[in-house]
Amino acid sequence: MKAAVFTKTGPPNVIEVVDLPTPEPGECEVRIELGAASVNPIDTYIRSGAVPLPVQNPQIIGCDFAGTVTKVGSAVERFRPGDRVWGSNQTFFGRQGTFAEQIVVDEQWCNATPEGETDTEAAAGALVGITAHLGLHRTGQLQPGDSVFVNGGTGGVGSSVVQLAKATGAVVATTAGSPEKLERCRDLGADIAFDYRSHDLDEQIRAFLEQSERSGFDLWYETLRQPTLERTIGMMAEGGRIILMAGRDARPEFPLGSFYTQDLSIRGFAMFKASADEQRVCGEAINRLYEAGSWKPQIGTTMSLAEAAEAHRLQEANTLENEGTLSGKIVIVP
């Protein structure tokens, strides 16, 4: 079978497409004929060595997957051949990745794919959907009627936060960088979307809060790699929650006084450290939202397995260099 792998960490050109033996599932694993995989920033960090994790040699890249079960191990209980499944959290902690024609995955990381959802949609929504749900619900304790702010409402995580928060009954504010993207934010459910290039962005946000008769946001879901906590804290309601899930190298200034006098809290989390049970709760919730028409993963572009290195270059250009040329996920269709 064909697979995109690396044998040493480094830039995208360390990725090679090679022939590997078709894997056999272990007793708790399913073998999946891949329909689609997607690219995430964490994939590029693992490949580059920026995030040192145990890897195999060769290491198949990719966390997210969607496809059809072709074979199951002797102890598998939830799936059988022919079932369509999706999931994430591969590549981590020594597990092989997903950029291959056939993959084996422990059934605990798999979710049933809703009827009508394509493999490209399911793969595009895997990591970002679970991340958004974990941050909003397990970590952020989102309640109906809360006000939520998230930067980048057409990005992978941002668009997921907008949809999932709105489905919970929150008032959602977000940002984008073009008229087309601002309109897309509103289509996804945002109550208001601000142009982050505006010279008076903060004044516009505060005017929105005042018109909404709110003292600040109840939940701020931070997606930026360089957060400005002083600005964020100044826009929070008393008792508000700030969620951090990006910015490994960031060292922002922290206004302690205004933070504790407003009874605020900050929580950080890494999606890949959530247990399989925690992620399954998210997966089942996301499936229900898809079936209800409240969740549609955003696909920016599709590429082939042979273009895996170029897909990593495109992801890095938008994650690390802020090119703004991508809206939605990069999906690999083998």
Side-chain angles (χ1 to χ4, degrees):
M1 68 168 190
K2 299 292 185 184
V5 306
F6 65 90
T7 57
K8 61 180 180 180
T9 58
N13 62 15
V14 301
I15 298 172
E16 303 175 90
V17 178
V18 301
D19 287 303
L20 293 177
T22 299
E24 288 296 319
E27 65 175 3
C28 294
E29 293 179 327
V30 298
R31 187 169 71 198
I32 300 165
E33 181 179 354
L34 191 75
S38 66
V39 184
N40 297 286
I42 187 65
D43 302 335
T44 68
Y45 304 155
I46 295 170
R47 184 223 69 233
S48 70
V51 175
L53 289 174
V55 295
Q56 299 187 33
N57 189 4
Q59 176 68 47
I60 301 173
I61 60 176
C63 298
D64 295 347
F65 65 89
T68 303
V69 175
T70 59
K71 190 174 183 179
V72 303
S74 60
V76 170
E77 298 180 348
R78 297 171 52 231
F79 302 104
R80 63 181 186 271
D83 288 345
R84 295 179 59 237
V85 295
W86 67 271
S88 188
N89 232 45
Q90 302 313 297
T91 312
F92 298 111
F93 312 120
R95 294 192 288 271
Q96 279 290 20
T98 61
F99 280 36
E101 292 173 327
Q102 301 276 342
I103 61 175
V104 291
V105 178
D106 192 298
E107 71 166 332
Q108 67 179 333
W109 300 111
C110 295
N111 302 281
T113 303
E115 186 175 351
E117 185 173 32
T118 66
D119 286 341
T120 52
E121 287 179 312
L127 183 145
V128 294
I130 292 172
T131 298
H133 197 279
L134 283 169
L136 289 171
H137 295 284
R138 186 201 66 175
T139 306
Q141 299 296 303
L142 180 66
Q143 300 297 318
D146 280 351
S147 56
V148 176
F149 180 89
V150 60
N151 282 299
T154 62
V157 174
S159 63
S160 304
V161 170
V162 169
Q163 294 181 78
L164 271 58
K166 195 62 187 175
T168 304
V171 174
V172 182
T174 189
T175 62
S178 72
E180 295 78 16
K181 289 183 178 181
L182 290 168
E183 182 62 29
R184 184 63 187 145
C185 290
R186 291 186 282 269
D187 289 343
L188 291 171
D191 293 276
I192 192 164
F194 303 97
D195 188 336
Y196 61 70
R197 301 167 303 177
S198 298
H199 69 279
D200 61 345
L201 172 61
D202 287 5
E203 287 76 8
Q204 292 180 42
I205 295 174
R206 290 190 177 94
F208 164 73
L209 290 168
E210 184 175 345
Q211 291 165 7
S212 305
E213 298 183 345
R214 294 177 179 272
S215 59
F217 292 105
D218 299 300
L219 193 150
W220 185 289
Y221 199 117
E222 187 56 82
T223 61
L224 297 182
R225 296 178 67 247
Q226 293 294 334
T228 51
L229 289 181
E230 184 164 8
R231 169 179 180 256
T232 298
I233 288 168
M235 294 188 180
M236 298 301 294
E238 282 199 7
R241 292 91 66 201
I242 300 167
I243 307 301
L244 301 178
M245 44 68 65
R248 290 173 178 269
D249 299 323
R251 297 291 186 273
E253 292 187 8
F254 187 87
L256 180 61
S258 53
F259 174 79
Y260 75 76
T261 57
Q262 292 187 73
D263 198 23
L264 303 181
S265 62
I266 291 182
R267 287 287 305 276
F269 76 98
M271 171 268 185
F272 59 86
K273 290 187 175 180
S275 70
D277 288 341
E278 289 175 317
Q279 293 197 32
R280 193 176 308 115
V281 168
C282 300
E284 291 172 353
I286 290 168
N287 282 349
R288 290 193 295 271
L289 291 175
Y290 184 90
E291 292 169 340
S294 301
W295 163 240
K296 188 172 181 61
Q298 301 301 292
I299 300 169
T301 187
T302 57
M303 305 176 78
S304 70
L305 193 61
E307 298 174 293
E310 181 56 34
H312 270 223
R313 278 189 282 269
L314 178 59
Q315 184 65 64
E316 288 183 336
N318 283 269
T319 304
L320 303 179
E321 301 168 23
N322 299 315
E323 283 193 358
T325 56
L326 184 64
S327 180
K329 296 303 296 296
I330 305 168
V331 177
I332 299 295
V333 180

